[in-house]
Amino acid sequence: MKLLQLLLATVALLLVGCGGDDSGNAGDPTQRIYVLAASSGNASAASAGQDLAVTLSGVEPEVDWYSDRPDRLTGDAKTQDFVNTDWQRIYGDVAPNALLQFHMAGDVHGVFGSVRDVVYDSSARSLRLTLRVTRASDAVGAPAGSFTRPVLTLLNNLKPPAEGSSFALAATRTSLAKDSNGAWRLEMQGVDPNVLWMNNAPARSADVESLGQFVNLWPERFSAVLPNASVAGDPGDGDYDIMPLTLSDPRYDGASGSLSFAATLLAGPGVPDASTVLSNAVLFVDAGARGIPSEVFAQNWRGVAYSAIPAKFLAAPTGAFFDSDTTADAFQALWGSKNGCGRNDLDAMAAQGINLVRLYDYNYQRGSKDWETGGNGHIAFLDKAQALGIKVIIPVSNYNFKNQDGPNRPWDKIENTVTQIVASVKKNGAIHPAVHSFSIGNELDLNQSGETSATLIPKAVRVAKLLHKLAPDHYMTVPVSNADEKKFYAMLRDQLPPDLYQNRFYNSVQTFKLKNGDDLKNNILQAYDDLKLGVPLLITELGTNSLAIGSVDAKVDAVVGQASAVREYMDANPQSLVKGFAIFEWQNANWKRDNKPDNTESTFGIHAYGGTLCQSKTGEFGMWNAKENYWASFHGDETYDVDKLAPLTSAAHPEGLLAALSKYFK
């Protein structure tokens, strides 16, 4: 069967096992999922956007229900009372969303949409309703006509601004088993690789997402309150049983198509024994936020530019740091901790309210053993960021735009490079939920390696098209300087495909304008809104350096002023397209000194250096070059210093720059 057909075939499991009645401490009836069954029915056409007139016959005299989280309740109610008396009390003036599934022409089909005009005739045991179609099985485009074994599952409404979706996962077999600690786990085999999601009203959407994305997003959707769920299927007698559960800790094996959860069984009348094995089963998980990548600009972002090259490098880094990629797991002691050594930069950021990290150099091969193939060396960084509520901008770095670099020709390999960058940020087959967006180069409006914007911007447009094909739900940007940013805003708008530009692109500018005299406000922030481009703006570098402004003291005060200017403008203009900023940068960059004294490029950091905190090991990094038949060793298991970071202070901000910025990060 097709995905939707399989899900709908097994949704009938909600009809049984919900014993009990609607009396006593049964919770809030507006927060229940109601399930109504009948023996047959008929309907008109079921195309998306149309009204479907439905008549159900042989309606069961009782409607079953189970509660939305956090309650764990089940029960039933008389169908006549539910329709004629309780409907208005439960749903008010907002038509609930529902899933109608039925058997027709030897298959199971389904229609999802909003339900209104419900009329129940108890003497005839018939129910008439109008369903406004949002999504239907492919084969239900023609008039549906007569069908059998219909099931109507009504989702609970949510009160705005709350939003949520319910999820359905199909499996060929489910069972409960004890793990090594004696705790129950729900084991699912033959899990469909797609998950059906359905919005709760008043929203009106339904679609599918990959099982990998569902598992990846579990912490963001359900960590605060574990979801109520029910798994049901055929226990072997041709009927359906339902087993209500509380779920956590999903573990997915894409190779075998198996999925398991830590499970707490919920007792109740009619609930099957824990030893029951269910086939052709479906798991329903109650409402959680979708948290999809295309919605990243539903909130504002306050971040930091991050490149944690150790202080000892006074010129371009070498050895294990040859690629300047410090977010790989080889350098976990910098941004996290490893074997008792750890600076825990990501924790320090989260503690001050930072929710965005902008990266620069990124070697997709980290964590791979195969030449020019994406590895998993950045997943630990992304996992840590996700756990802390931080999103990450993944870069296609400037190196990849070079036509020639010694014997290498990076641009000739751009299609594979972009493909492997996207592959390297996938977990469970889906792009990691900590990925905010992709950045394309850095200041390609300026001359880079002998090229000008005349060729660099078209290159950026090509990369954008590649990214959009590989990651269609994710935003992307081309960071430009503020030398002539309006010219390049227009150039990118004109050269990017309209659909990409309007729906998955944001502008990003790098500016060191100050709050003084409203220079930053008038010439970057308000000036952008005045352009009415219709796409968001992030300031991907905001700051100043100690040498240009005269002293560390002046720099601290200036950067605090810059952050306050952006935050004040955004707070005063909630409809603004300015959606956030990233302070440049987390720490000073000694490596930019080129073996000379500090300069304007090396002293932008929020932190300076204060000696050595501890030492850590990188592990080995090498890969097999099958084309040329040799093993390429990039570095051995090297020991490196984890620097202490010293806070920069001023007379006005003795608490330090990071702590002073916290007011504008939070």
Side-chain angles (χ1 to χ4, degrees):
M1 291 185 181
K2 295 180 179 179
L3 162 73
L4 190 55
Q5 294 171 346
L6 179 58
L7 289 173
L8 296 177
T10 52
V11 76
L13 55 86
L14 291 174
L15 292 173
V16 296
C18 293
D21 56 32
D22 203 4
S23 60
N25 183 21
D28 182 356
T30 69
Q31 297 304 305
R32 296 174 183 166
I33 294 88
Y34 286 88
V35 186
L36 182 149
S39 60
S40 63
N42 63 78
S44 57
S47 299
Q50 293 185 352
D51 285 342
L52 180 66
V54 179
T55 300
L56 304 181
S57 302
V59 176
E60 292 292 329
E62 292 184 329
V63 57
D64 297 289
W65 60 262
Y66 66 96
S67 62
D68 195 359
R69 61 177 179 154
D71 292 334
R72 316 295 179 188
L73 305 171
T74 64
D76 53 40
K78 294 185 181 303
T79 302
Q80 181 172 351
D81 293 342
F82 170 65
V83 175
N84 297 337
T85 304
D86 298 337
W87 187 279
Q88 181 64 31
R89 177 168 61 99
I90 293 170
Y91 302 116
D93 296 327
V94 179
N97 290 336
L99 184 66
L100 172 66
Q101 94 279 346
F102 48 84
H103 286 248
M104 184 182 70
D107 275 319
V108 179
H109 302 281
V111 182
F112 175 80
S114 58
V115 174
R116 68 178 194 277
D117 306 331
V118 181
V119 178
Y120 178 61
D121 184 337
S122 59
S123 60
R125 290 181 58 198
S126 68
L127 183 76
R128 290 184 287 112
L129 59 93
T130 301
L131 192 151
R132 182 72 170 177
V133 179
T134 298
R135 184 178 176 89
S137 300
D138 294 340
V140 193
S146 298
F147 48 79
T148 61
R149 287 176 283 172
V151 176
L152 183 70
T153 303
L154 293 143
L155 307 184
N156 58 303
N157 290 350
L158 299 179
K159 295 179 180 179
E163 294 182 359
S165 300
S166 296
F167 304 87
L169 296 77
T172 58
R173 184 181 186 274
T174 67
S175 60
L176 284 164
K178 293 284 186 75
D179 65 15
S180 59
N181 296 316
W184 288 111
R185 288 197 71 84
L186 174 66
E187 306 282 352
M188 305 178 69
Q189 286 81 42
V191 184
D192 195 286
N194 290 301
V195 175
L196 175 68
W197 63 262
M198 304 159 283
N199 271 153
N200 294 59
R204 310 291 185 193
S205 298
D207 209 335
V208 295
E209 69 181 29
S210 72
L211 180 56
Q213 178 165 299
F214 175 78
V215 173
N216 291 348
L217 283 168
W218 183 277
E220 297 182 23
R221 287 171 172 163
F222 302 119
S223 60
V225 180
L226 295 179
N228 195 20
S230 55
V231 63
D234 183 354
D237 57 8
D239 203 347
Y240 280 95
D241 278 353
I242 180 170
M243 186 176 293
L245 306 160
T246 301
L247 300 180
S248 61
D249 186 28
R251 300 176 187 175
Y252 174 47
D253 183 345
S256 65
S258 63
L259 175 67
S260 73
F261 298 86
T264 300
L265 281 68
L266 301 177
V271 174
D273 185 83
S275 62
T276 302
V277 175
L278 302 175
S279 61
N280 294 325
V282 68
L283 172 68
F284 277 84
V285 183
D286 69 14
R290 288 206 62 220
I292 55 177
S294 59
E295 297 176 351
V296 292
F297 287 109
Q299 70 175 90
N300 294 325
W301 299 96
R302 298 167 297 276
V304 64
Y306 187 67
S307 179
I309 304 298
K312 75 171 189 176
F313 292 106
L314 304 180
T318 57
F321 292 87
F322 74 99
D323 53 12
S324 301
D325 181 357
T326 58
T327 57
D329 54 12
F331 311 107
Q332 189 165 331
L334 297 174
W335 44 265
S337 62
K338 181 179 179 181
N339 298 329
C341 173
R343 198 169 67 196
N344 293 296
D345 286 349
L346 286 173
D347 289 276
M349 294 174 193
Q352 300 302 328
I354 288 171
N355 65 4
L356 182 68
V357 172
R358 187 261 172 108
L359 305 180
Y360 292 88
D361 293 310
Y362 183 91
N363 184 350
Y364 68 77
Q365 297 179 115
R366 290 279 185 176
S368 174
K369 297 295 185 183
D370 297 317
W371 189 256
E372 296 183 347
T373 300
N376 62 2
H378 299 86
I379 297 301
F381 181 85
L382 294 172
D383 283 345
K384 177 84 171 177
Q386 182 188 17
L388 294 168
I390 293 172
K391 299 285 189 183
V392 182
I393 300 176
I394 301 296
V396 180
S397 58
N398 279 9
Y399 172 82
N400 299 297
F401 292 83
K402 291 183 176 183
N403 293 318
Q404 195 79 43
D405 182 54
N408 301 316
R409 296 184 59 82
W411 180 250
D412 289 351
K413 301 177 180 179
I414 192 62
E415 186 165 348
N416 182 66
T417 296
V418 174
T419 299
Q420 298 306 327
I421 287 174
V422 173
S424 74
V425 295
K426 286 187 175 182
K427 180 180 180 182
N428 293 322
I431 293 175
H432 200 292
V435 174
H436 174 277
S437 57
F438 294 90
S439 63
I440 302 168
N442 185 54
E443 297 184 346
L444 298 180
D445 57 311
L446 305 178
N447 292 351
Q448 305 284 348
S449 301
E451 282 192 85
T452 69
S453 61
T455 56
L456 290 170
I457 295 301
K459 283 184 173 182
V461 169
R462 182 184 172 193
V463 171
K465 293 176 181 178
L466 291 170
L467 282 169
H468 189 50
K469 181 179 179 180
L470 295 163
D473 293 332
H474 284 74
Y475 273 81
M476 63 199 69
T477 191
V478 181
V480 300
S481 74
N482 72 315
D484 195 358
E485 71 278 6
K486 296 181 184 65
K487 169 185 173 182
F488 291 96
Y489 296 158
M491 187 180 295
L492 290 163
R493 177 197 60 200
D494 294 343
Q495 294 190 25
L496 286 165
D499 179 65
L500 189 164
Y501 179 81
Q502 294 162 11
N503 298 298
R504 294 293 185 269
F505 184 78
Y506 66 96
N507 280 310
S508 51
V509 67
Q510 320 209 129
T511 183
F512 309 121
K513 290 183 179 295
L514 302 178
K515 184 177 185 179
N516 299 346
D518 285 337
D519 187 18
L520 177 57
K521 174 185 174 183
N522 293 339
N523 296 311
I524 296 294
L525 309 175
Q526 186 65 61
Y528 187 79
D529 280 331
D530 290 345
L531 292 173
K532 302 186 184 304
L533 293 173
V535 301
L537 173 74
L538 275 182
I539 301 176
T540 42
E541 287 186 4
L542 180 68
T544 190
N545 65 83
S546 304
L547 268 67
I549 205 165
S551 68
V552 171
D553 199 90
K555 169 195 164 171
V556 170
D557 296 347
V559 175
V560 172
Q562 290 170 314
S564 69
V566 179
R567 186 62 185 269
E568 289 162 6
Y569 179 84
M570 292 170 62
D571 291 348
N573 299 277
Q575 302 306 313
S576 172
L577 286 171
V578 179
K579 294 299 182 181
F581 62 91
I583 298 297
F584 184 75
E585 58 185 322
W586 180 248
Q587 64 192 58
N588 280 344
N590 284 0
W591 69 274
K592 294 182 180 179
R593 289 165 54 177
D594 196 23
N595 292 312
K596 299 174 184 175
D598 270 326
N599 56 47
T600 56
E601 291 295 315
S602 65
T603 56
F604 274 94
I606 292 174
H607 299 97
Y609 300 105
T612 300
L613 178 68
C614 54
Q615 289 186 322
S616 188
K617 304 273 287 184
T618 63
E620 297 181 355
F621 176 35
M623 57 185 56
W624 177 253
N625 186 331
K627 182 178 180 180
E628 299 184 21
N629 198 36
Y630 76 97
W631 176 262
S633 178
F634 292 99
H635 64 75
D637 187 12
E638 295 188 11
T639 299
Y640 66 96
D641 292 339
V642 177
D643 303 310
K644 289 182 181 177
L645 297 182
L648 299 183
T649 64
S650 71
H653 297 288
E655 71 276 25
L657 179 51
L658 179 62
L661 288 169
S662 178
K663 175 182 178 181
Y664 307 107
F665 287 143
K666 292 180 177 178

